[in-house]
Amino acid sequence: MSEKTRIYLQPWPIRIWHWINASGIIILILSGAQIRFPETLSIFSSYKSAIEVHNTAGIIVAISFSFWFFYYKMVKNTLDKLYIPDEEDIKHGLVRQLLYYCFWYFLGRPSPYHATPDHKFNPMQKSAYLAVMFVLMPLVGLTGILLLNVTPLRVLVLMWGGIKVIVALHFLLACSLLAFLCTHVYLATLGDYIKPMLIGWEDVEEHEEVEPAPEVVIPGYRPVRHYPEYERALLEQRHS
């Protein structure tokens, strides 16, 4: 038998950072689209206004990114633990979570991973956030800085292949970020991910702790023992 318990999953500094960052990225996408396609889109009052809004939003996102890195690395010291997949995530967790998103969710099966304050992200989230936060965001920011004021950074611009190369790279990186944002929003609807980012708390089911028994073999399951689903399966088999 299980009962509901509340866990404090998202502290207020991260919630504030998340929504500032999300708003900034959306503004960057809208203003960037008008800058890229000025003859087709007219979201802001003028082309010049779109550039000013884009530059301002870019600076805000860059500052918020620095805050995110400082908070998790210096204050909480959990950056590596939260965002870098471990060996078990790579061997078993990625496949299990992918199967859940593609098939098990639509069959009504529970998620194989349940967030805790120390382990907020499932293996797929870790992999995606690792790529986005440590590769995509820095590259978008770097190319954006090079385009922000070309003249003082002329040597760096030429080192990267010229202004056209940087513009093309910045646009492709922005498209990748847009694709991630759409996927991120969709996957957030597959679980209770939005509520904790609004109020910080998440309601979870509390299950009886079960010590894993090496001699028990569950068909179709690998021994990923930190998954509550595995522990429940062990419990059901022992009581059957």
Side-chain angles (χ1 to χ4, degrees):
M1 187 174 181
S2 63
E3 58 181 18
K4 292 283 186 178
T5 185
R6 301 188 84 194
I7 60 173
Y8 191 56
L9 198 59
Q10 301 292 354
W12 65 265
I14 293 304
R15 299 201 307 274
I16 293 174
W17 163 80
H18 177 273
W19 294 113
I20 291 176
N21 191 62
S23 301
I25 289 176
I26 291 172
I27 293 173
L28 282 171
I29 291 172
L30 294 176
S31 57
Q34 181 169 336
I35 294 171
R36 182 69 177 181
F37 307 106
E39 298 175 355
T40 305
L41 297 175
S42 182
I43 302 171
F44 299 91
S45 59
S46 66
Y47 184 78
K48 182 180 179 181
S49 298
I51 293 177
E52 292 175 350
V53 170
H54 193 77
N55 292 343
T56 303
I59 293 172
I60 292 173
V61 169
I63 294 173
S64 74
F65 179 85
S66 301
F67 168 80
W68 165 84
F69 185 85
F70 176 81
Y71 179 81
Y72 272 128
K73 188 65 178 178
M74 304 301 179
V75 178
K76 303 295 287 185
N77 195 27
T78 56
L79 189 70
D80 299 345
K81 184 177 181 181
L82 288 176
Y83 287 91
I84 298 179
D86 56 29
E87 183 179 355
E88 196 164 1
D89 290 330
I90 296 171
K91 284 185 176 179
H92 309 307
L94 284 171
V95 175
R96 288 168 62 88
Q97 201 65 37
L98 179 62
L99 288 173
Y100 169 73
Y101 284 140
C102 294
F103 303 105
W104 295 349
Y105 172 81
F106 302 101
L107 297 176
R109 294 192 60 179
S111 173
Y113 189 88
H114 300 269
T116 67
D118 295 326
H119 300 278
K120 295 182 182 182
F121 307 126
N122 66 52
M124 284 195 67
Q125 287 175 316
K126 282 185 180 181
S127 302
Y129 295 155
L130 179 66
V132 170
M133 300 303 289
F134 292 92
V135 179
L136 187 58
M137 287 289 289
L139 285 177
V140 171
L142 180 58
T143 54
I145 290 172
L146 292 176
L147 294 173
L148 188 62
N149 195 340
V150 175
T151 304
L153 302 173
R154 185 171 180 274
V155 175
L156 290 176
V157 171
L158 292 175
M159 286 176 58
W160 279 59
I163 190 72
K164 290 185 177 180
V165 172
I166 295 178
V167 168
L169 181 59
H170 189 70
F171 177 72
L172 291 175
L173 291 168
C175 290
S176 301
L177 191 59
L178 175 60
F180 165 78
L181 181 63
C182 295
T183 306
H184 179 68
V185 172
Y186 167 69
L187 293 180
T189 65
L190 301 186
D192 191 15
Y193 299 116
I194 298 176
K195 181 179 175 183
M197 197 53 75
L198 291 172
I199 65 174
W201 295 89
E202 181 179 8
D203 296 323
V204 297
E205 290 186 357
E206 201 172 52
H207 298 273
E208 178 184 346
E209 292 292 331
V210 178
E211 289 295 327
E215 70 277 6
V216 178
V217 178
I218 302 174
Y221 284 81
R222 291 190 175 187
V224 188
R225 291 186 172 85
H226 64 277
Y227 290 146
E229 188 184 30
Y230 179 85
E231 295 179 354
R232 289 197 297 272
L234 275 174
L235 182 62
E236 291 171 1
Q237 188 178 63
R238 288 181 174 181
H239 290 173
S240 61

